[in-house]
Amino acid sequence: MSDPVLQIDGIHKAYGPVRVLADVALTLHAGEVRCLAGENGSGKSTLIKIMSGVVPKDAGTVRIAGQELSNDPAAAINAGLSVIYQDFSLFPNLTVAENIAFLRNVAHGERWHKRGSDRQLALNTLKRMGVDIDPSQPVELLPVASKQLIAIARALANDARIIVMDEPTTALTRSEVKRLQGIIEALKKDGVAFLFVSHKTEEIFAFCDTITVLRDGRVVSQGGADEFDADRLGRDMTGRDIETHRLPRELAPTAAPIMATRGLTRHGVYSDVDLSIAPGEIVALVGLLGSGRTELALSLFGQIEPDEGVIEFKGTIRRFREPLEAMDAGIAYVPEDRLTEGLFLDQPIGDNISVASLKPSGIVDRSGLRERAREAVKRLRIKTPGIEPSVATLSGGNQQRVVLARWMERNPELMILNGPTVGVDIGSKREIHEILLDLRKSGTAVLVVTDDLGEALALSDRILVMVRGRITGEFTADEIDEERLSLSVTEEAPAR
Amino acid sequence: MNARRDTTTQYTIGLGVLALAIFVTLTFYAPNFLSRANLNSMGSQFPEFGLLALGLLPAMITGGIDLSVVAIANLASIVAALLLRAGPEYALLAIPAALLTGLACGVLNGCLIAYLRLPPILATLGTLQLFGGIAIVITGGPSITGLPAWYSAWGTWSIGGFLPVPLIVFTIVAIGMGLFLRFSATGMRARLYGANPLAARFVGIQERKLVIKIYATAGVIASIAGLVILARANSATADYGASYLLLVILINILAGVSPFGGVGSTMGVVLAVITLQLISSGLNFLAFTAFTRDLFFGGLLIAIMSIRVIAEGRLGDFRTLISRRQT
């Protein structure tokens, strides 16, 4: 085989006392699609950032076509390595052509903005990819799948020979994934190499020729995609046999729903949603990124107001204008992004737990609150020396337990959780699921919004599938398997 | 992950040690420093800008700022002065009216920030001009004098000859502020809101109510400062204390209050006020000219901020790590 276009050797990286990467090596040849597989927290993101020169490495080398790279993002870009992050990092206010030409203009040190040549470059690049998008459109008006194509085009326009893509199919429907596959096939023939970063089995086998598995900052296995199957991949990523079994539970007693919606609609986001959830039941709402699942969940918590339709809570029609009203009614909401929406990172663990149960005004009983926070820490087995350190000192799984503790202090009747185990290690994930099952047992209604189908199957009694703003399917968890669920989640939307 | 160490307590202790060191040094090198007259004069000088600094504190803890505190103080003192001069039958109303003026100004600030979502720095820059403008129009320029003797008397009174009344007012407000921030539900919410406004929304903190309460508090404390100024200066002017605004911000930064919100203590502000007063008096005693004061204040601020960043170690690393993880 020819010399590799990308060769990484002996990469070490630590943040303070925490080792993130240890002796990581990886090669990539022209025309190869390699998958960098690993759980959240395995060091994938750090490795990409080291490759692209954004984060300095402690030891090791990154070579592109034999040339060693310095720690400088511009050097990586000039050498032909482009990273497409999950959010694509496009400029929404600029046009397609300006976005595509941007990297190249920066790399070439262009002093002037040349509309004509930008446009020509964009047209040529899009033609090379076989994509038809109007180059004069502002990027913010485009659907997600097109934005991703623009991000690829931007890399190509700068003569990228290596394209790193972070979880590229998170927001794509089945036909969009097919289209992406076609484009990648064509570019492989041109000798472009791809590095896919992912933890999703379907995505990995759909695209990749070779696989490198990263666990706890080390390469644990690598080889051709044909040497792996889903079981082995799962085992290598997590270090244990994957739990695909449903968690044991007693049959849910049939009860009148605690919350029901009828014809709930928010224009352009979700429409005509009828759902119901009963006490002692875990319902999973699954859908792709951008399917409207998060917005629907936020509407049930009073964070977004629906345009039409009604929410019935405990038998009466309610309109929650702000989260406080939903909270007072007995609803809790664990947000999607723990770091920005869930936690007060610099603040003590105790305050992070007490914050939702503070009284409206007046003097608070600080020692009482601290006592309750301490008990919650013990009950949920949060690993910390005390409640005074800032919550930023905890691991992902323990941070999520702090958010759960916060809401359990209020004894909610309906708990909505958006992505409850994102970025949580596999052991904590299991324990968080058990906490939720305990809640179910005590009669709490639990709504889990997730794109982790395994989680939905393991955890829930009922699964609702959301595609482009509509509930398109409803299953009891034991009548469907992961494959069929995946098909139904990535299905094309019915015409609106 | 490299977690940020919380150095607030150590920092406050450090500030206390610094104040003490300056105090001891001056005691040795400036013979008249410990004289009753000097202590008394220092004790009646700093309460007015100390009060303004305390007013700014809650706004900074929520991640905002209130640039209009000095303007509010002046407007409140003018309102009080007008009523005091109007005759004995109105004089009793002077203090409540001044406090109400401060409250109204603060609520206006709060509403601009809460409802129009103006950035606090711009909203209060606007009201700084507005309140100053109102004050100028009312007075027409010159200061209002001719106050009844009983009012200005308290500005110079000292209980037992060494506890100036303004110092007592400052102490009471400082203790109140300390209790408010530490033990009230609103104070806790203000700190958490300052640490992460988005997360605050997700736990049902009512942003608008909270912001209005905080800026109203700032307005009332500023008006108390106005009453102290009125008593001490024996007159009310629209442009009194023009240099106080920057001094007051300086005090809060020196006190370890984070300009990004979520961190700050009343004890820190009290110590910072005392430190600056000691430095300022010390410079007088050691026969530096008044012109060197800014040089020392500025140098101290930069030195302390640098030491703090270095002491916290890899703070910068951590911040970038977090901001990257959010993308």
Side-chain angles (χ1 to χ4, degrees):
Chain A
M1 214 181 222
S2 59
D3 287 340
V5 283
L6 173 70
Q7 182 160 17
I8 293 174
D9 281 306
I11 298 284
H12 286 265
K13 175 71 188 176
Y15 287 110
V18 184
R19 190 201 61 200
V20 188
L21 293 174
D23 199 20
V24 172
L26 186 151
T27 57
L28 192 63
H29 291 87
E32 179 183 348
V33 180
R34 180 176 285 273
C35 173
L36 181 62
E39 293 260 272
N40 286 310
S42 60
K44 291 175 300 184
S45 313
T46 310
L47 184 60
I48 310 181
K49 284 173 187 160
I50 285 175
M51 274 186 241
S52 59
V54 180
V55 167
K57 52 188 178 285
D58 297 342
T61 54
V62 177
R63 286 199 182 84
I64 293 181
Q67 288 284 17
E68 187 169 343
L69 278 190
S70 54
N71 280 331
D72 176 11
I77 291 169
N78 286 336
L81 184 143
S82 280
V83 180
I84 298 172
Y85 292 100
Q86 227 178 333
D87 64 352
F88 312 137
S89 311
L90 294 170
F91 302 99
N93 53 332
L94 300 185
T95 65
V96 169
E98 285 161 341
N99 268 288
I100 291 178
F102 187 83
L103 267 190
R104 184 191 170 88
N105 290 346
V106 171
H108 288 206
E110 292 282 347
R111 285 170 200 281
W112 304 100
H113 173 57
K114 297 174 189 148
R115 192 185 298 259
S117 69
D118 281 2
R119 189 182 158 81
Q120 201 48 51
L121 180 65
L123 281 173
N124 291 343
T125 313
L126 291 172
K127 199 168 150 204
R128 181 176 160 204
M129 293 169 59
V131 174
D132 182 30
I133 297 174
D134 176 7
S136 57
Q137 248 187 323
V139 160
E140 61 194 339
L141 300 179
L142 296 175
V144 184
S146 307
K147 284 185 190 161
Q148 185 172 47
L149 296 178
I150 303 299
I152 299 177
R154 177 173 64 177
L156 290 176
N158 188 38
D159 304 322
R161 284 174 293 165
I162 303 157
I163 298 182
V164 181
M165 296 180 83
D166 194 357
E167 310 219 340
T169 65
T170 314
L172 303 189
T173 64
R174 223 180 316 153
S175 70
E176 288 164 347
V177 171
K178 283 236 168 64
R179 185 163 164 218
L180 182 63
Q181 266 173 318
I183 291 169
I184 286 177
E185 278 307 317
L187 293 173
K188 273 168 71 176
K189 294 208 177 76
D190 281 0
V192 179
F194 287 87
L195 185 66
F196 270 43
V197 180
S198 179
H199 65 275
K200 289 192 185 143
T201 324
E202 319 92 71
E203 179 170 291
I204 294 170
F205 287 115
F207 284 94
C208 300
D209 309 321
T210 49
I211 296 175
T212 297
V213 183
L214 210 57
R215 185 173 79 226
D216 294 333
R218 290 177 183 278
V219 174
V220 289
S221 63
Q222 54 183 330
D226 44 6
E227 297 166 34
F228 286 83
D229 57 18
D231 284 346
R232 175 172 174 210
L233 190 60
R235 212 163 38 237
D236 287 351
M237 287 197 314
T238 59
R240 63 172 88 178
D241 288 319
I242 324 180
E243 208 69 60
T244 48
H245 300 299
R246 275 169 53 65
L247 297 165
R249 71 197 64 202
E250 286 162 25
L251 209 63
T254 44
I258 185 167
M259 176 178 266
T261 67
R262 286 197 301 274
L264 208 63
T265 299
R266 185 170 164 92
H267 298 310
V269 186
Y270 56 82
S271 55
D272 215 11
V273 172
D274 294 342
L275 62 81
S276 75
I277 177 164
E281 186 186 31
I282 300 183
V283 175
L285 178 67
V286 297
L288 292 172
L289 190 70
S291 61
R293 52 172 206 219
T294 295
E295 292 80 358
L296 177 60
L298 287 174
S299 304
L300 303 181
F301 188 59
Q303 184 75 270
I304 291 182
E305 280 209 57
D307 297 323
E308 284 165 36
V310 291
I311 297 175
E312 206 173 279
F313 190 73
K314 291 205 271 187
T316 47
I317 289 178
R318 297 293 304 266
R319 184 165 157 254
F320 301 125
R321 278 160 305 186
E322 55 177 348
L324 193 62
E325 291 180 3
M327 281 164 63
D328 287 343
I331 302 176
Y333 183 89
V334 175
E336 194 170 17
D337 187 335
R338 206 166 35 239
L339 296 175
T340 61
E341 299 168 340
L343 294 170
F344 304 92
L345 274 180
D346 288 348
Q347 302 289 328
I349 293 165
D351 289 352
N352 269 282
I353 292 174
S354 317
V355 58
S357 25
L358 289 179
K359 52 186 184 173
S361 60
I363 302 298
V364 293
D365 168 17
R366 269 177 77 90
S367 59
L369 286 179
R370 294 162 66 86
E371 196 43 53
R372 283 175 60 185
R374 264 189 218 108
E375 277 165 25
V377 163
K378 219 181 290 167
R379 201 167 51 240
L380 293 186
R381 295 200 293 276
I382 299 170
K383 287 187 203 76
T384 166
I387 58 166
E388 289 81 14
S390 80
V391 79
T393 58
L394 299 179
S395 70
N398 283 307
Q399 289 182 339
Q400 189 70 333
R401 275 181 254 196
V402 167
V403 182
L404 285 175
R406 170 193 296 167
W407 290 113
M408 284 164 69
E409 284 295 295
R410 292 182 60 92
N411 297 318
E413 292 177 79
L414 168 63
M415 180 106 133
I416 303 172
L417 302 104
N418 199 342
T421 57
V422 173
V424 164
D425 65 274
I426 194 102
S428 287
K429 183 171 175 176
R430 184 67 193 254
E431 284 186 33
I432 287 173
H433 285 168
E434 270 157 18
I435 294 169
L436 296 181
L437 279 175
D438 282 347
L439 278 174
R440 169 189 185 270
K441 203 168 160 194
S442 65
T444 310
V446 180
L447 177 66
V448 175
V449 182
T450 183
D451 58 1
D452 180 344
L453 303 183
E455 171 168 88
L457 286 166
L459 188 62
S460 60
D461 301 307
R462 244 176 344 122
I463 299 176
L464 303 175
V465 176
M466 195 160 192
V467 175
R468 305 233 163 148
R470 283 171 189 274
I471 304 278
T472 55
E474 176 172 346
F475 308 94
T476 61
D478 37 39
E479 74 179 11
I480 191 162
D481 57 22
E482 182 152 354
E483 201 173 320
R484 279 171 53 215
L485 187 57
S486 162
L487 284 179
S488 113
V489 168
T490 56
E491 202 167 27
E492 294 312 305
R496 277 202 208 185
Chain B
M1 193 159 72
N2 175 24
R4 172 180 166 193
R5 274 174 295 156
D6 184 8
T7 55
T8 312
T9 316
Q10 293 97 305
Y11 180 80
T12 312
I13 294 171
L15 204 54
V17 171
L18 177 68
L20 201 65
I22 299 173
F23 187 84
V24 171
T25 315
L26 289 173
T27 313
F28 279 106
Y29 288 94
N32 286 329
F33 180 73
L34 271 187
S35 70
R36 173 177 285 193
N38 178 53
L39 290 182
N40 210 332
S41 108
M42 287 201 316
S44 47
Q45 269 168 33
F46 74 76
E48 54 188 57
F49 61 81
L51 281 167
L52 292 169
L54 285 176
L56 185 60
L57 175 64
M60 291 203 48
I61 283 179
T62 59
I65 195 166
D66 189 345
L67 299 180
S68 66
V69 280
V70 180
I72 294 176
N74 286 332
L75 188 57
S77 80
I78 286 166
V79 168
L82 289 175
L83 284 167
L84 286 168
R85 226 174 42 172
E89 63 271 32
Y90 297 108
L92 275 181
L93 289 175
I95 291 176
L99 296 178
L100 269 180
T101 307
L103 181 68
C105 293
V107 168
L108 175 63
N109 280 335
C111 287
L112 290 175
I113 296 161
Y115 286 94
L116 300 184
R117 300 204 157 274
L118 296 179
I121 194 166
L122 295 183
T124 56
L125 186 62
T127 53
L128 155 77
Q129 294 288 347
L130 177 70
F131 303 148
I134 295 172
I136 283 278
V137 169
I138 293 177
T139 59
S143 50
I144 301 177
T145 50
L147 304 179
W150 64 266
Y151 186 84
S152 49
W154 76 262
T156 46
W157 273 346
S158 290
I159 291 176
F162 61 90
L163 260 186
V165 179
L167 182 60
I168 294 169
V169 174
F170 173 74
T171 310
I172 291 170
V173 173
I175 291 172
M177 177 59 72
L179 295 177
F180 167 72
L181 289 177
R182 205 171 158 72
F183 292 104
S184 77
T186 307
M188 269 184 82
R189 287 203 175 89
R191 177 161 50 79
L192 292 168
Y193 172 80
N196 186 347
L198 184 59
R201 216 176 292 159
F202 276 95
V203 292
I205 290 178
Q206 292 175 300
E207 191 178 357
R208 288 175 176 167
K209 261 193 195 166
L210 178 69
V211 165
I212 292 172
K213 270 190 202 168
I214 291 299
Y215 285 87
T217 309
V220 170
I221 296 177
S223 66
I224 296 175
L227 289 170
V228 171
I229 290 169
L230 181 61
R232 263 181 33 85
N234 200 10
S235 68
T237 325
D239 56 1
Y240 182 87
S243 68
Y244 277 1
L245 179 57
L246 292 178
L247 181 64
V248 161
I249 296 172
L250 173 82
I251 288 169
N252 274 275
I253 299 297
L254 187 61
V257 181
S258 164
F260 308 108
V263 179
S265 73
T266 314
M267 185 47 102
V269 171
V270 171
L271 288 174
V273 169
I274 293 173
T275 308
L276 287 187
Q277 179 64 47
L278 284 173
I279 292 176
S280 160
S281 308
L283 291 175
N284 275 335
F285 271 96
L286 302 175
F288 286 95
T289 71
F291 303 119
T292 56
R293 206 190 63 157
D294 286 351
L295 177 72
F296 276 87
F297 281 5
L300 181 71
L301 181 69
I302 298 297
I304 285 201
M305 287 194 301
S306 316
I307 290 169
R308 188 150 200 218
V309 168
I310 294 163
E312 285 191 6
R314 300 155 65 91
L315 173 71
D317 254 19
F318 180 64
R319 279 259 155 82
T320 43
L321 188 69
I322 290 297
S323 64
R324 295 240 172 78
R325 284 176 68 152
Q326 287 168 1
T327 57

